Amino acid sequence: MLSNLNSAVLTEKLVSAALPIAGLLMFLLVWNMSAQRIETSLGQFPGPAEVWEQGGNLVDEHRVQREKAAAFYERQAKRNAEKLAKNPGYVPKQRRFTGKPTFFDQIGTSLVTVMLGFLLAALIAVPIGIMIGLSQSLYSAMNPLIQLLKPVSPLAWLPLVTMVVSAVYVSDDPTVPKSFLNSMITVMLCCIWPTIINTAVGVSGVSQDHVNVSRVLRLGPLTHVYKVVLPSALPMIFTGLRLSLGIAWMVLIAAEMLAQNPGLGKFVWDEFQNGSSNSLGRIMVAVIVIGLIGFLLDRGMLLLQRYLSWDKSATLR
Amino acid sequence: MDQPHLIIDHVSMAFDTPKGSFQALDDVHLKINKGEFISLIGHSGCGKSTVLNIVAGLLQASTGGVVLNGKEVREPGPERAVVFQNHSLFPWLTTYQNVELGVKQVFRGRKSRAEMREWIEHNLAMVHMEHAMDKRPDEISGGMKQRVGIARALAMQPEVLLMDEPFGALDALTRAHLQDSLMEIHAQLGNTVIMITHDVDEAVLLSDRIVMMTNGPSATIGEVLNVDIERPRDRIALSDDPAYNGYRHDVLEFLYEKQRKVEDLGDRRRAAASTPPSTPSPARVA
Ligand SMILES: Nc1ncnc2c1ncn2[C@@H]1O[C@H](COP(=O)(O)OP(=O)(O)OP(=O)(O)O)[C@@H](O)[C@H]1O
Ligand SMILES: [Mg+2]
């Protein structure tokens, strides 16, 4: 009986582990078969094997660039040392290696941009959400604006952001490139709304009983927010943050593509313009990496929520 | 004492509803002495919670007001601590932290950290909950939560303790247990207590006076019964006591004879639509 039960449980576990793998295999099969039937102007649509190969190429290219960079810095250091030996008053010049950014450099740029844009959005959205959640009149005042701005596409914001950044951010030696600011601000503008709305909903949903307790204890406004409102609204805030991060990542790729800002979006666009027989394969690699990173970002938020949430048993999805 | 401790002074309450104004309370007037234990009893929906919330300051009376020690009550405050019907503990705080939140508010600057800790532990011990200080509300039973709610209120050292059906959701055994603890604590601390209850035995066992409310709308105080039984009271000894049973009888008579719960209009209309008028259904305290 017991062994029966155990084997049943075991089978169930095996099945639940096997199903995703089966789904993935099915997908690869369908992909492979349909890829063979699609002729594009750049040759046959890449199947899994070609994409795998291109992935390897991208890694190799990255390695080569890194070696070049290392060699460059070595030469520079040597040259500076020689000049310094001849002439003690010489001030060594440090030039940066200006090779073409590799696929992995672009991933790095995109990640930094999305994180900063999202962080900025969260820092603005959560306090605003709390305020309009607490005050009905503030909510009534802000709601039409939010509803109006929420559906605006990043492509509409981008020209405005670009012009404003060029006008406002004038500096001879910009420590932060303008293109980076453009992407980041566009991301921020597009992903701020779900967090504002969900935070406001979570905050206004604090149970009346808890508000009454807080009133009887005469908690100050800050203590009230910190001890009562935030813990109770936390799940909704995180729902908003996860939606925002998802939007941020999607918007970023589009913005980079359109504005030629460095990042994964630009990589895709460059490959598209490049139009070699390898391009489609390389774009497919980018597509898969973009999906994977989006997934990992969401998981990361989930872990953060689990870490911050008081209710560890709450089902998190 | 020249002035009474707590006066509920000709309080009327009208709620604004979508269908117009609803007169819930009409001229509720009661003077309460320091240290008195008052029970509010009456049929469901008559306005007991409304009275309590007005005393707490969570609601503002439409006319009339509440005066505590000669000062009008305008807002809630820890000197009028409330034990809510459904405990209302914060689920994200431990038992200890729930009590601590109130203690910090009341004793900030007056007690040191160590003194506060001691005071919180003392109050939890008073309701026999010192063993569950680091548990969250969802890790303890309903009776335990209610006890923590009482400890939270007591730890604020309130002058008036307001309790809205504190033991309503508990089984008879736990309820008896908590009633005994409450009597002990009341004897020890001498707070003024106003407690809403639906339980006639509970009212007679615990109270100095039982305030019986008429049915709403426009509910008011119907009768006030003085319970002259020596303290400490023992539930088992009292069950044979003719005085005790006399008081019980008085309350029951008020509720079931003089203030028979009339069915609400909706019920009556529905009944009229389906069946010819019949004898009124037996009333019950719900
Ligand atoms: N905020 C409100 N708005 C409108 N009507 C209200 C409001 N609060 C209470 N009432 C009405 O006032 C009356 C008294 O309500 P209250 O909650 O005080 O009754 P209660 O005696 O405590 O009942 P119960 O024993 O069931 O808790 C009820 O008819 C109720 O519908
Ligand atoms: Mg009530």
Side-chain angles (χ1 to χ4, degrees):
Chain A
M1 184 64 207
L2 196 70
S3 68
N4 256 348
L5 203 76
N6 271 339
S7 73
V9 168
L10 198 69
T11 329
E12 205 171 282
K13 272 194 177 158
L14 272 179
V15 166
S16 69
L19 281 177
I21 296 175
L24 210 62
L25 284 177
M26 275 295 280
F27 169 73
L28 288 177
L29 202 73
V30 172
W31 175 12
N32 198 25
M33 291 204 321
S34 34
Q36 282 167 8
R37 287 153 200 250
I38 302 176
E39 262 326 306
T40 71
S41 58
L42 296 178
Q44 203 181 54
F45 193 84
E50 287 91 329
V51 170
W52 180 256
E53 191 190 320
Q54 287 309 322
N57 284 349
L58 285 170
V59 173
D60 289 343
E61 280 167 30
H62 179 71
R63 215 171 273 144
V64 169
Q65 280 290 328
R66 277 294 123 88
E67 275 160 19
K68 274 192 195 162
F72 169 84
Y73 284 123
E74 204 174 305
R75 273 202 309 280
Q76 177 172 273
K78 211 161 124 197
R79 207 174 328 124
N80 281 340
E82 278 169 12
K83 285 191 182 165
L84 208 61
K86 273 189 216 152
N87 173 9
Y90 176 73
V91 182
K93 279 193 196 120
Q94 296 291 351
R95 284 204 186 77
R96 279 177 63 82
F97 177 70
T98 51
K100 183 170 167 281
T102 66
F103 182 58
F104 294 91
D105 296 334
Q106 306 281 39
I107 294 179
T109 314
S110 284
L111 273 178
V112 171
T113 320
V114 83
M115 287 319 268
L116 285 178
F118 168 72
L119 224 69
L120 193 64
L123 284 180
I124 297 172
V126 172
I128 290 184
I130 290 175
M131 281 191 289
I132 64 178
L134 285 176
S135 152
Q136 183 60 43
S137 34
L138 217 72
Y139 178 81
S140 308
M142 298 273 291
N143 192 40
L145 194 71
I146 293 171
Q147 300 303 335
L148 185 83
L149 293 178
K150 188 177 60 144
V152 174
S153 146
L155 311 184
W157 283 120
L158 196 61
L160 295 177
V161 171
T162 311
M163 297 313 292
V164 170
V165 166
S166 319
V168 175
Y169 185 65
V170 274
S171 139
D172 299 330
D173 176 33
T175 36
V176 184
K178 271 182 194 166
S179 61
F180 175 79
L181 279 184
N182 289 341
S183 319
M184 192 182 89
I185 293 174
T186 308
V187 163
M188 189 272 279
L189 282 173
C190 290
C191 79
I192 201 167
W193 313 109
T195 303
I196 293 187
I197 293 168
N198 280 282
T199 303
V201 170
V203 166
S204 57
V206 174
S207 106
Q208 189 57 44
D209 283 340
H210 289 161
V211 174
N212 280 345
V213 172
S214 169
R215 287 177 64 200
V216 169
L217 298 187
R218 278 213 196 118
L219 298 184
L222 274 181
T223 322
H224 175 66
V225 166
Y226 192 69
K227 291 277 185 184
V228 180
V229 171
L230 272 183
S232 127
L234 206 64
M236 280 304 276
I237 295 179
F238 265 94
T239 305
L241 286 175
R242 279 172 66 197
L243 283 173
S244 282
L245 188 55
I247 291 179
W249 185 236
M250 281 210 267
V251 162
L252 177 72
I253 303 298
E256 285 169 350
M257 234 165 148
L258 189 80
Q260 293 292 295
N261 297 324
L264 272 172
K266 182 164 160 50
F267 173 86
V268 171
W269 187 252
D270 286 350
E271 287 300 331
F272 178 57
Q273 294 297 318
N274 193 3
S276 81
S277 57
N278 289 337
S279 287
L280 288 184
R282 292 159 75 94
I283 291 177
M284 269 311 280
V285 176
V287 165
I288 291 169
V289 167
I290 289 170
L292 201 66
I293 290 176
F295 172 73
L296 290 179
L297 287 176
D298 193 55
R299 285 289 118 161
M301 283 305 287
L302 208 63
L303 287 180
L304 187 66
Q305 176 174 9
R306 202 166 288 174
Y307 174 72
L308 287 178
S309 170
W310 52 273
D311 188 0
K312 307 289 179 203
S313 64
T315 44
L316 302 170
R317 252 173 285 162
Chain B
M1 226 193 287
D2 32 349
Q3 63 173 17
H5 177 54
L6 176 67
I7 312 171
I8 301 173
D9 191 7
H10 299 284
V11 163
S12 299
M13 185 76 199
F15 288 108
D16 286 324
T17 65
K19 287 190 225 145
S21 172
F22 174 79
Q23 189 74 31
L25 298 177
D26 183 42
D27 200 37
V28 174
H29 188 77
L30 188 68
K31 290 181 181 163
I32 300 170
N33 295 321
K34 200 169 178 62
E36 236 186 326
F37 197 120
I38 303 279
S39 288
L40 272 182
I41 199 163
H43 287 283
S44 180
C46 71
K48 303 179 295 295
S49 297
T50 309
V51 171
L52 202 81
N53 285 337
I54 291 173
V55 177
L58 292 166
L59 284 175
Q60 279 294 314
S62 314
T63 62
V66 174
V67 180
L68 177 64
N69 295 329
K71 266 193 239 132
E72 191 179 349
V73 165
R74 294 187 175 280
E75 55 170 359
E79 77 282 0
R80 281 161 286 122
V82 184
V83 177
F84 293 89
Q85 180 164 12
N86 55 349
H87 68 79
S88 294
L89 298 178
F90 295 119
W92 47 85
L93 299 181
T94 63
T95 298
Y96 180 88
Q97 290 167 330
N98 263 293
V99 179
E100 185 185 33
L101 200 58
V103 168
K104 271 192 178 159
Q105 279 303 108
V106 175
F107 297 103
R108 185 184 302 142
R110 285 201 280 145
K111 275 193 201 294
S112 72
R113 235 165 216 280
E115 282 170 333
M116 281 199 205
R117 173 148 203 113
E118 201 179 312
W119 175 244
I120 296 165
E121 282 169 1
H122 167 74
N123 278 280
L124 282 169
M126 202 143 58
V127 292
H128 309 293
M129 283 299 296
E130 66 275 36
H131 59 283
M133 286 203 297
D134 297 319
K135 292 218 163 102
R136 288 243 174 75
D138 54 4
E139 296 168 322
I140 59 182
S141 73
M144 290 159 107
K145 279 184 248 201
Q146 209 50 266
R147 282 194 245 167
V148 177
I150 294 171
R152 171 171 67 183
L154 288 174
M156 292 187 263
Q157 242 174 20
E159 287 188 69
V160 182
L161 187 61
L162 304 169
M163 305 202 276
D164 194 344
E165 294 179 49
F167 313 133
L170 304 178
D171 63 283
L173 221 58
T174 315
R175 182 186 266 251
H177 212 80
L178 287 186
Q179 287 165 351
D180 291 342
S181 312
L182 185 59
M183 277 195 285
E184 240 172 72
I185 291 166
H186 180 242
Q188 214 175 54
L189 304 180
N191 312 69
T192 309
V193 181
I194 304 179
M195 178 179 78
I196 294 177
T197 179
H198 280 136
D199 182 336
V200 177
D201 292 289
E202 181 172 279
V204 177
L205 180 68
L206 295 178
S207 317
D208 297 316
R209 278 193 289 164
I210 301 176
V211 173
M212 293 172 267
M213 290 186 63
T214 64
N215 292 329
S218 300
T220 187
I221 295 175
E223 280 176 34
V224 178
L225 181 71
N226 279 304
V227 182
D228 256 327
I229 302 178
E230 283 279 304
R231 290 179 188 273
R233 298 172 182 171
D234 176 74
R235 67 176 66 246
I236 307 213
L238 283 179
S239 61
D240 291 333
D241 186 328
Y244 175 83
N245 284 312
Y247 292 125
R248 280 194 62 206
H249 177 264
D250 289 348
V251 178
L252 287 169
E253 190 181 46
F254 176 86
L255 289 173
Y256 293 104
E257 303 275 317
K258 299 178 193 163
Q259 285 294 321
R260 188 181 297 232
K261 174 91 173 157
V262 280
E263 313 109 290
D264 69 88
L265 262 165
D267 273 356
R268 214 184 304 166
R269 255 189 236 117
R270 247 168 278 132
S274 57
T275 54
S278 60
T279 48
S281 57
R284 87 199 142 81
V285 188

